[in-house]
Amino acid sequence: MFAAYAARIDRDQPLEGLELGERPAPGARPGWSTVNVRAASLNHHDLWSLRGVGLAEDKLPMILGCDAAGIDEEGNEVVLHSVIGQSGYGVGPREGRSILTEKYQGTFAEQVSVPTWNVLPKPKELSFAEAACLPTAWLTAYRMLFTNAGVRPGDSVLVQGAGGGVATAAIVLGKAAGLRVFATSRDEAKRKRALELGAVEAVEPGARLPQRVDAVIETVGAATWSHSVKSLKPGGSLVISGATSGDRPSHAELTRIFFLELKVVGSTMGTKDELEDLLAFCAATGVRPVIDEVLPLDRAREGFERLESGGQFGKIVLEV
């Protein structure tokens, strides 16, 4: 079957290790289901995999891609939960959790195999492309906002780095949930898009906000860390799920964190139950993932190049 996969690890030039071509189709395995992929979406996780983060060389070649929607063996339209081993189903109780492409072949292929427990019904209201955007970036944003930040309608949130998948999802979900959303971006066009999606104000990174916020959604890392901490109300929460600009800020702001009793919460992906809730939320409210570009699978390299350049706003989807 045709697939986009990591053939080599290159920490400095990750796309040098990306290849497109034939790979073995998944075989039958007790407790697992094979899904015919209709759409899959790119995440920064895929670029990090090509750099060898979370992907060991002895696992190569590895088909990339965490997210997918497609048709299962019984003809049902389905969405995949990307966290394998979260429940023990399909892998045994002693295996730790992993994300597709770390131990098991991913979704940028004509077929993918996952534990049957990880297969969820796709709401009829969502297209395959829309559904394929949800299991990583949108689920991450959903958990960051509603589980780990614990915000409620009427609260205020700062989303750093508008344009990325998680940040874009946080703006849309926050608006739909009645939050007062502020956003940052270095790019004027992305700030304008953030306003169109529902942010009440979009500013350059580091700019003073008109008010302090209840929570910050942080995926940028070192470049925005100090601004994130300084933007919080006393007792506020900074929820972080990534560090695309690096994980070593020049100033940790520890004094401000302890003096104002701020909370710093790490967040990774989400649970199957949260994904079910997110799917239902989108179906019921009309909220839809922001899609930057849809490409056929055989043009996956173009999608990776756009993701690496940071030029996208929303999700890049590959269709099979």
Side-chain angles (χ1 to χ4, degrees):
M1 65 177 183
F2 187 81
Y5 60 96
R8 295 170 299 281
I9 300 298
D10 192 320
R11 287 165 176 79
D12 298 319
Q13 297 182 325
L15 298 191
E16 291 297 313
L18 175 66
E19 291 194 5
L20 278 65
E22 293 297 314
R23 296 297 305 149
R29 182 174 179 175
W32 287 54
S33 293
T34 297
V35 172
N36 292 311
V37 177
R38 290 289 185 86
S41 67
L42 273 73
N43 294 283
H44 275 95
H45 180 83
D46 300 307
L47 283 175
W48 288 113
S49 295
L50 287 165
R51 292 187 174 99
V53 178
L55 176 59
E57 295 209 23
D58 62 3
K59 297 292 184 181
L60 299 177
M62 174 64 74
I63 298 172
L64 298 169
C66 305
D67 298 344
I71 306 291
D72 71 6
E73 295 156 318
E74 298 176 355
N76 302 305
E77 297 185 353
V78 297
V79 184
L80 304 185
H81 180 48
S82 309
V83 183
I84 308 299
Q86 191 174 58
S87 63
Y89 284 97
V91 299
R94 294 189 180 182
E95 180 173 326
R97 69 177 184 178
S98 65
I99 300 173
L100 277 177
T101 75
E102 293 178 342
K103 294 181 180 179
Y104 301 103
Q105 302 293 324
T107 60
F108 294 165
E110 295 175 46
Q111 291 185 321
V112 63
S113 183
V114 297
T116 303
W117 184 87
N118 288 66
V119 180
L120 290 80
K122 180 184 78 65
K124 66 181 186 306
E125 294 87 349
L126 298 176
S127 69
F128 286 107
E130 290 166 343
C133 295
L134 298 178
T136 295
W138 278 67
L139 178 59
T140 296
Y142 186 92
R143 180 175 177 83
M144 291 175 80
L145 282 169
F146 306 123
T147 301
N148 288 328
V151 289
R152 299 176 296 177
D155 284 348
S156 55
V157 175
L158 169 62
V159 178
Q160 297 281 18
V166 174
T168 304
I171 294 170
V172 175
L173 291 171
K175 167 67 174 177
L179 304 177
R180 185 173 175 84
V181 181
F182 300 90
T184 69
S185 177
R186 295 174 297 175
D187 185 277
E188 183 178 357
K190 290 183 178 181
R191 294 196 297 271
K192 182 178 179 181
R193 287 292 308 278
L195 294 172
E196 293 170 352
L197 291 177
V200 296
E201 191 162 339
V203 301
E204 294 185 2
R208 187 180 183 89
L209 301 180
Q211 66 178 76
R212 290 188 179 179
V213 297
D214 297 289
V216 175
I217 302 303
E218 175 65 84
T219 58
V220 179
T224 54
W225 181 261
S226 184
H227 182 238
S228 292
V229 175
K230 291 176 180 177
S231 297
L232 283 168
K233 294 178 180 178
S237 298
L238 194 166
V239 185
I240 180 168
S241 68
T244 55
S245 67
D247 61 1
R248 299 182 183 183
S250 59
H251 197 322
E253 304 289 351
L254 295 181
T255 300
R256 186 180 293 267
I257 288 172
F258 74 71
F259 188 73
L260 296 180
E261 297 188 323
L262 305 178
K263 304 175 190 69
V264 177
V265 184
S267 191
T268 299
M269 296 289 287
T271 66
K272 179 183 175 182
D273 287 344
E274 287 168 330
L275 179 55
E276 289 178 325
D277 291 343
L278 172 59
L279 289 163
F281 182 82
C282 291
T285 63
V287 166
R288 296 293 181 269
V290 179
I291 296 177
D292 177 83
E293 187 174 25
V294 178
L295 296 167
L297 180 59
D298 60 7
R299 291 171 58 190
R301 182 172 294 276
E302 296 175 39
F304 273 87
E305 289 169 349
R306 184 163 176 79
L307 183 65
E308 186 183 36
S309 72
Q312 85 287 355
F313 193 100
K315 299 291 291 177
I316 298 169
V317 177
L318 302 177
E319 286 190 333
V320 179

